[in-house]
Amino acid sequence: MLSCHGYSQTLLGSRRHGHVRGSVRRGVRAAVQQPSALSSSPVKQDPFQNPKVYNDSAFDRLMITIFTKRLVDDMADEGQVVDIPSECSYEDLVRVSRAVMKGRTPEQQAAFVRRSMQTLAGGSGNIIGLYKRLLPPSQWTAELFCLVASLCFGWLVGESEAQSSPIQLGEYESSLQRRKISGGGFENSMGAGTQEQTLQQNAMIRVQRSVVKIKKCRYLEASGCVAICNNLCKTATQDFFLNDTGMPLTMKPNFEDLSCEMIFGQEAPSREGDEAFKQPCFVHHCSALEAKMEQEPKPCRQL
């Protein structure tokens, strides 16, 4: 049987232990609820750390050679000579792409590649003009371009797939939709203006399978160059599709994981409003010494 003194000591001890246990539990909860500054700032993974290895097929090698030679021939027409082998590798394509940039402004680089695309697509005359007449912008033509791009250009950009997504329609299709709605007889109904405006806004957005998701762009990974991506690929391709085929196209490169989206049917934003043109160089891959010496990242100087 415990004495009064022993009982009081036991009770006091249990309270002390309970207080300690409670403090420990509160400390653990605080540690869980308030992670350290180190854990709240995850380190970004270098997208170039594990380069993808490609085993080019005979078709891939043929297309790489045709495209590379087209660029070289067009440079020769302007007095610029670049030596290439009879069968070109992907490294030859990247080397020639760097040569295209020399002595040309970003606008001239994009225009140069667009002319090469025109030649490969049948020339800038009547043949290429058929695209606009036979394939005007619509849902099915956007999805057709998407399907062809996802199936036929793996040799250039790597693995890709067609996806469905809400699309902000280009001006051509939007104007058609607005005319249809304006002629729909809303003028005699109450709240006609608001209803028509809502319908017009909704008509400018449509879900369609016209997005090519490039999982990791081979061209960007091999070149490691933001300017090559934006000037020779993004701008040139957007201009080619919009101006030569009539199909609006927005290309959205992701410089963190090297993926990209080609959105057929959606017009590209202005250069000033496009985040891609605010992208700094990949410092460890850029040949420009200035980029490696900058204290704070700035948009690529060649954009």
Side-chain angles (χ1 to χ4, degrees):
M1 209 174 161
L2 290 172
S3 64
C4 291
H5 176 72
Y7 176 76
S8 62
Q9 291 294 327
T10 303
L11 182 59
L12 180 60
S14 63
R15 287 178 177 174
R16 287 175 177 169
H17 288 302
H19 175 71
V20 172
R21 287 194 298 270
S23 299
V24 172
R25 285 195 295 269
R26 286 192 295 272
V28 171
R29 285 197 298 269
V32 172
Q33 294 171 359
Q34 298 180 357
S36 66
L38 181 62
S39 62
S40 63
S41 302
V43 178
K44 292 183 180 180
Q45 184 177 3
D46 181 5
F48 298 95
Q49 188 174 7
N50 299 308
K52 184 174 177 59
V53 178
Y54 292 88
N55 295 315
D56 293 318
S57 65
F59 173 79
D60 295 334
R61 295 193 297 272
L62 174 63
M63 295 306 298
I64 291 170
T65 299
I66 290 174
F67 188 51
T68 305
K69 286 187 174 181
R70 181 69 266 160
L71 294 174
V72 169
D73 290 344
D74 289 343
M75 281 191 287
D77 292 340
E78 297 183 1
Q80 185 179 2
V81 179
V82 179
D83 293 327
I84 55 173
S86 58
E87 182 175 323
C88 298
S89 65
Y90 203 88
E91 290 71 22
D92 292 318
L93 172 59
V94 173
R95 177 170 58 87
V96 169
S97 298
R98 295 189 188 281
V100 170
M101 298 177 67
K102 292 181 179 179
R104 296 180 177 86
T105 65
E107 293 77 15
Q108 290 171 338
Q109 295 168 25
F112 180 93
V113 176
R114 179 187 165 193
R115 289 194 298 272
S116 297
M117 291 179 176
Q118 289 172 339
T119 303
L120 292 172
S124 57
N126 294 329
I127 295 179
I128 201 170
L130 290 174
Y131 292 115
K132 287 185 177 181
R133 293 194 293 271
L134 298 178
L135 300 170
S138 66
Q139 180 173 349
W140 82 267
T141 53
E143 292 180 344
L144 175 63
F145 278 118
C146 172
L147 179 63
V148 172
S150 64
L151 293 177
C152 299
F153 289 93
W155 60 271
L156 179 61
V157 298
E159 186 180 357
S160 65
E161 63 181 9
Q163 295 182 348
S164 297
S165 181
I167 303 300
Q168 182 74 39
L169 299 181
E171 181 58 31
Y172 175 83
E173 281 199 271
S174 295
S175 61
L176 292 180
Q177 297 294 334
R178 286 195 294 268
R179 285 199 293 271
K180 289 180 181 178
I181 293 170
S182 298
F186 293 102
E187 60 276 10
N188 297 323
S189 61
M190 186 174 296
T194 302
Q195 186 177 2
E196 181 177 345
Q197 184 179 14
T198 301
L199 286 172
Q200 287 183 350
Q201 290 174 348
N202 292 339
M204 295 179 191
I205 299 177
R206 182 173 62 212
V207 176
Q208 56 190 41
R209 191 176 177 83
S210 63
V211 178
V212 178
K213 177 66 174 181
I214 300 170
K215 298 183 178 181
K216 189 175 186 180
C217 180
R218 183 181 187 180
Y219 197 47
L220 179 55
E221 182 181 28
S223 66
C225 182
V226 172
I228 283 182
C229 169
N230 275 313
N231 301 341
L232 274 63
C233 183
K234 173 180 165 65
T235 302
T237 307
Q238 288 177 169
D239 289 350
F240 170 78
F241 276 99
L242 179 62
N243 298 305
D244 295 311
T245 73
M247 174 59 64
L249 171 66
T250 296
M251 296 186 68
K252 297 176 64 176
N254 184 325
F255 294 103
E256 292 189 0
D257 62 7
L258 308 186
S259 66
C260 185
E261 289 182 341
M262 300 179 68
I263 309 174
F264 287 96
Q266 179 170 298
E267 290 186 2
S270 65
R271 190 182 185 92
E272 295 74 18
D274 197 327
E275 290 297 321
F277 292 98
K278 302 174 185 177
Q279 174 68 24
C281 297
F282 295 114
V283 176
H284 299 295
H285 299 270
C286 184
S287 59
L289 180 61
E290 296 86 353
K292 298 180 181 181
M293 296 177 64
E294 290 175 349
Q295 297 296 322
E296 296 183 2
K298 298 178 181 179
C300 175
R301 296 173 182 269
Q302 301 186 71
L303 295 177

